Amino acid sequence: MAGRRLIAYVRTGPMEARAERPELDAQREQIRAACAERGWEIVAIEEEVRSGRLRRRPGLRGALAACRARQADGII
């Protein structure tokens, strides 16, 4: 679907080994490239350095709230 407005969500865990931890810069660049290829617009970027096991993730909550408020069509 061309023309989608998306929020980019990037996360890495603070306790992951450096070699296994996906860098936030690399995640942002991959998302930008994928969106550009598909004609999608990134309206915001939410990022956090938190465990994926935690339910308390302000960045993810913010992205979900923006979707509910129709400020974005989805999260990538």
Side-chain angles (χ1 to χ4, degrees):
M1 290 176 91
R4 290 192 66 131
R5 297 170 48 245
L6 301 172
I7 296 176
Y9 177 72
V10 296
R11 186 203 64 80
T12 191
M15 303 303 276
E16 294 177 59
R18 226 353 156 202
E20 297 172 13
R21 185 164 73 184
E23 295 297 326
L24 297 175
D25 289 338
Q27 290 179 54
R28 280 191 296 273
E29 286 308 311
Q30 289 175 335
I31 288 172
R32 282 188 185 110
C35 288
E37 184 178 302
R38 291 164 177 82
W40 298 343
E41 176 188 1
I42 297 173
V43 296
I45 298 176
E46 292 284 349
E47 64 181 60
E48 44 202 10
V49 178
R50 290 182 163 256
S51 170
R53 291 190 292 177
L54 295 176
R55 297 182 80 191
R56 183 178 237 183
R57 290 188 262 164
L60 182 56
R61 285 184 179 184
L64 291 169
C67 289
R68 282 195 230 36
R70 304 224 189 277
Q71 297 169 345
D73 299 317
I75 302 169
I76 185 169

